[in-house]
Amino acid sequence: MKYHETPLQVRFYEVDAYGVAWHGHYVGWFEVGRNDLSQRYRMGPLQLKEMNLLAPVVELDCQFKLPAVFGAPLIIQTTMEKTEVAKLIFHYRILDRENRRVLATGSTTHVLTDLKGNLFYWVPPEVLERIEAMRKYLGV
Amino acid sequence: MKYHETPLQVRFYEVDAYGVAWHGHYVGWFEVGRNDLSQRYRMGPLQLKEMNLLAPVVELDCQFKLPAVFGAPLIIQTTMEKTEVAKLIFHYRILDRENRRVLATGSTTHVLTDLKGNLFYWVPPEVLERIEAMRKYLGV
Amino acid sequence: MKYHETPLQVRFYEVDAYGVAWHGHYVGWFEVGRNDLSQRYRMGPLQLKEMNLLAPVVELDCQFKLPAVFGAPLIIQTTMEKTEVAKLIFHYRILDRENRRVLATGSTTHVLTDLKGNLFYWVPPEVLERIEAMRKYLGV
Amino acid sequence: MKYHETPLQVRFYEVDAYGVAWHGHYVGWFEVGRNDLSQRYRMGPLQLKEMNLLAPVVELDCQFKLPAVFGAPLIIQTTMEKTEVAKLIFHYRILDRENRRVLATGSTTHVLTDLKGNLFYWVPPEVLERIEAMRKYLGV
């Protein structure tokens, strides 16, 4: 199993009154990593929309281990869990790019719906194909 | 001429590493004030969209006079400028709710377009009616 | 056990390309609810800082059940879990203010540290007093 | 006169309900460009703080010409205006990285203060030296 890596640098406005990146921004960074990965397999938000699909987040969790300061060069690591059901589960790690220490971990669970929000109970074949290509790349 | 008033409180995540509200958030606060006003006259973003209209911001300016701290109770004051052309110009003041001191001023200029972004050179009558009702309320 | 309630309205810039509130903003809303509650018991971020304390988030989870649209009037419900250790665990529910339907649930876990980030393994008595007053209010 | 260039890609959560980058995020992008430039000349926010200095924004303006969509590769161009007084004036252009079209322009004006917010009427020599090195690089 491998992680797809996306570089990112902490922006000034992402730092809070405590002088470290505000915890809520990690959710956005997870998304940056997820989109960077999924767009390569035509599974980005706009690419799904072209297939009349949405993949809304239904669950989110994050564990914060070490703070990130302004300007810190980070790596967002993203991988995918193998699931039997019509759910996409992504796992993330935020690393300090210099010393490779893990600053945070987390995951998001997504369902597949049509544009009106109706849930898919099975993954459409054209999507399954893309997921399998992504899994092959990630080794999961 | 009067200002429409919208109360707002500085959120923790809006405060930056200097311990004061980050300047970019004022743009969002202006928008909160503008939407609070314009929705009362059926000129909010979704109400315009129902008429196949958008009112994108084409110009923005802001003058920062005094900082705002976490939890500070603010007032966003919003008014409108009378224009002869198909432009909407809103003016704003951010006040400390307690001592009524002006923390910031600013303005946004909006054009009217259809949903594809094609510019309107005149204001459609059904919109003009709403603008005139809003102007009457504001005394402009 | 009761929830402390904080009203909130979805802002335009909190809505994403799917036309619903972006999931990451819920983390900020949880914080708005938590601060509204904790400040009443002198446990807000600045009040803790005056005691040379920080209460950083170490864990976060959120379950998204129904979308929230622009302008939707919401209620953030916040309560606290009784813990034996030096951790603060807050639980949240985001409700539609009109029909009281639950749109999302979640929780955050916080540790107590000094201003340099050194962990407290016990809760200082002056903080315990405040936590107990908050618990009494919440019935936990 | 030249512009310092910083690459940037539009994030999903930066896109609003209209399907284009929300105008307020441009203020954050200007800041990303400004910090990328000024840190090279030891004029970044933390580097100034080490000299007991702040450079708060007192004026901001932005002109929006063309929308930016999700994932669009952008260039933030940043330059500096030569001023005789103790003010820093930065000018920005946001370009589409592919066709080099200008999507937005803008500027920010900053004063210099000590950490308590007291205004400097002259630029301290150690700062002037850094500004002059930055000006030399920019040809202004």
Side-chain angles (χ1 to χ4, degrees):
Chain A
M1 193 268 294
K2 80 166 200 178
Y3 283 97
H4 178 74
E5 300 205 340
T6 309
L8 185 141
Q9 200 165 8
V10 181
R11 297 177 178 179
F12 180 78
Y13 68 80
E14 293 175 331
V15 172
D16 68 15
Y18 289 162
V20 296
W22 180 65
H23 67 284
H25 291 302
Y26 288 67
V27 180
W29 299 346
F30 287 169
E31 187 179 79
V32 168
R34 180 173 70 247
N35 287 336
D36 183 39
L37 166 64
S38 57
Q39 282 193 312
R40 285 159 202 252
Y41 294 92
R42 296 176 295 143
M43 289 281 290
L46 297 187
Q47 293 155 332
L48 288 175
K49 209 170 180 178
E50 277 168 20
M51 295 190 287
N52 297 316
L53 287 170
L54 302 175
V57 179
V58 293
E59 280 186 64
L60 159 72
D61 68 79
C62 190
Q63 298 75 42
F64 304 91
K65 297 173 192 307
L66 288 167
V69 295
F70 166 58
L74 306 179
I75 289 282
I76 315 159
Q77 290 190 325
T78 311
T79 195
M80 203 186 189
E81 187 176 319
K82 193 179 168 159
T83 53
E84 298 306 321
V85 291
K87 274 186 182 177
L88 302 174
I89 305 178
F90 291 93
H91 294 272
Y92 313 91
R93 300 201 305 177
I94 307 281
L95 270 69
D96 184 306
R97 211 186 303 165
E98 280 162 5
N99 58 27
R100 305 290 293 183
R101 288 205 292 180
V102 177
L103 308 185
T105 57
S107 74
T108 55
T109 303
H110 305 248
V111 290
L112 282 172
T113 74
D114 64 19
L115 297 185
K116 288 179 180 165
N118 298 309
L119 204 62
F120 276 79
Y121 293 98
W122 39 272
V123 180
E126 67 273 29
V127 179
L128 196 57
E129 203 179 287
R130 296 175 187 197
I131 292 174
E132 278 167 3
M134 187 153 55
R135 271 190 199 148
K136 200 177 162 190
Y137 163 68
L138 296 168
V140 292
Chain B
M1 195 268 294
K2 80 167 200 180
Y3 283 97
H4 178 72
E5 300 205 339
T6 309
L8 185 143
Q9 201 165 9
V10 180
R11 297 176 178 181
F12 180 77
Y13 69 79
E14 293 174 331
V15 171
D16 68 15
Y18 290 163
V20 296
W22 180 65
H23 68 284
H25 292 302
Y26 289 67
V27 180
W29 299 345
F30 287 168
E31 188 180 79
V32 168
R34 180 173 71 247
N35 286 336
D36 183 39
L37 165 65
S38 57
Q39 284 193 310
R40 286 159 202 250
Y41 294 92
R42 296 176 294 143
M43 289 280 292
L46 298 186
Q47 293 156 331
L48 287 175
K49 209 169 180 179
E50 279 169 20
M51 294 191 287
N52 298 315
L53 288 171
L54 302 175
V57 179
V58 292
E59 281 185 63
L60 158 72
D61 67 80
C62 189
Q63 298 76 43
F64 304 91
K65 295 171 191 310
L66 288 166
V69 296
F70 166 58
L74 306 180
I75 289 282
I76 315 158
Q77 290 189 326
T78 311
T79 195
M80 205 186 190
E81 187 176 320
K82 189 173 175 170
T83 53
E84 296 307 320
V85 290
K87 275 189 181 174
L88 301 174
I89 304 177
F90 290 92
H91 293 272
Y92 313 90
R93 299 201 305 177
I94 308 282
L95 271 68
D96 185 305
R97 211 187 303 164
E98 279 161 6
N99 58 27
R100 306 290 292 184
R101 287 205 293 179
V102 177
L103 308 184
T105 57
S107 73
T108 55
T109 302
H110 306 248
V111 290
L112 282 172
T113 73
D114 65 19
L115 297 184
K116 288 178 180 165
N118 298 309
L119 204 63
F120 276 80
Y121 294 97
W122 39 270
V123 180
E126 67 273 28
V127 178
L128 197 57
E129 204 181 285
R130 297 176 187 196
I131 292 174
E132 278 168 2
M134 186 153 55
R135 270 190 200 148
K136 199 178 163 189
Y137 163 67
L138 296 168
V140 292
Chain C
M1 197 268 295
K2 80 167 201 178
Y3 282 97
H4 178 73
E5 301 204 340
T6 308
L8 185 141
Q9 200 165 9
V10 181
R11 297 176 178 180
F12 181 78
Y13 69 79
E14 293 175 332
V15 172
D16 69 15
Y18 289 161
V20 296
W22 180 66
H23 66 285
H25 291 303
Y26 289 67
V27 180
W29 299 345
F30 287 169
E31 187 179 79
V32 168
R34 179 173 71 248
N35 286 337
D36 183 39
L37 166 64
S38 58
Q39 283 192 310
R40 286 160 202 251
Y41 294 92
R42 296 175 296 143
M43 290 281 291
L46 297 187
Q47 294 155 333
L48 288 175
K49 208 169 181 180
E50 279 169 20
M51 295 190 286
N52 298 315
L53 289 170
L54 302 176
V57 179
V58 293
E59 281 186 62
L60 158 71
D61 67 79
C62 189
Q63 298 76 42
F64 304 92
K65 296 171 191 308
L66 287 167
V69 295
F70 166 58
L74 306 179
I75 290 283
I76 315 158
Q77 290 189 327
T78 311
T79 194
M80 205 187 188
E81 187 177 318
K82 192 177 171 163
T83 53
E84 298 306 321
V85 291
K87 274 187 181 176
L88 301 175
I89 304 177
F90 290 92
H91 293 272
Y92 312 91
R93 301 201 304 177
I94 307 282
L95 271 69
D96 184 305
R97 211 186 303 165
E98 279 163 5
N99 58 25
R100 306 290 292 187
R101 288 205 292 178
V102 177
L103 308 185
T105 57
S107 74
T108 54
T109 302
H110 306 248
V111 290
L112 282 173
T113 75
D114 64 20
L115 297 185
K116 288 178 181 165
N118 297 308
L119 204 63
F120 276 80
Y121 292 97
W122 39 270
V123 179
E126 67 273 29
V127 178
L128 196 59
E129 203 180 286
R130 296 176 187 196
I131 293 174
E132 279 168 1
M134 187 152 56
R135 271 191 199 146
K136 198 176 163 190
Y137 164 67
L138 296 167
V140 292
Chain D
M1 194 269 292
K2 80 167 199 178
Y3 282 97
H4 178 73
E5 300 205 340
T6 309
L8 185 142
Q9 200 165 8
V10 180
R11 299 177 176 178
F12 181 77
Y13 68 79
E14 292 174 332
V15 171
D16 68 15
Y18 289 162
V20 295
W22 179 65
H23 67 284
H25 291 303
Y26 288 66
V27 180
W29 299 345
F30 287 168
E31 189 180 77
V32 168
R34 181 173 69 246
N35 286 336
D36 183 38
L37 166 64
S38 57
Q39 282 192 311
R40 286 158 202 252
Y41 294 92
R42 296 176 295 142
M43 290 280 292
L46 298 187
Q47 293 155 332
L48 287 176
K49 208 170 182 179
E50 278 168 21
M51 294 191 287
N52 298 315
L53 288 171
L54 302 175
V57 179
V58 292
E59 280 187 62
L60 158 72
D61 67 80
C62 190
Q63 298 75 44
F64 304 92
K65 295 172 190 310
L66 288 166
V69 296
F70 166 58
L74 306 179
I75 290 281
I76 315 159
Q77 291 189 324
T78 311
T79 196
M80 205 187 190
E81 186 177 320
K82 191 177 168 154
T83 53
E84 298 305 321
V85 291
K87 274 187 181 174
L88 302 174
I89 304 177
F90 291 93
H91 292 272
Y92 312 92
R93 300 201 305 178
I94 308 282
L95 270 69
D96 184 304
R97 212 185 303 165
E98 281 162 6
N99 57 26
R100 304 291 292 184
R101 287 205 292 179
V102 177
L103 308 184
T105 56
S107 73
T108 54
T109 302
H110 305 248
V111 289
L112 282 172
T113 73
D114 63 20
L115 298 184
K116 288 178 181 165
N118 298 309
L119 203 63
F120 275 80
Y121 292 98
W122 39 269
V123 180
E126 67 272 29
V127 179
L128 195 58
E129 204 181 285
R130 298 176 185 195
I131 292 174
E132 278 168 2
M134 187 154 55
R135 271 188 200 149
K136 198 176 162 191
Y137 163 68
L138 296 168
V140 292

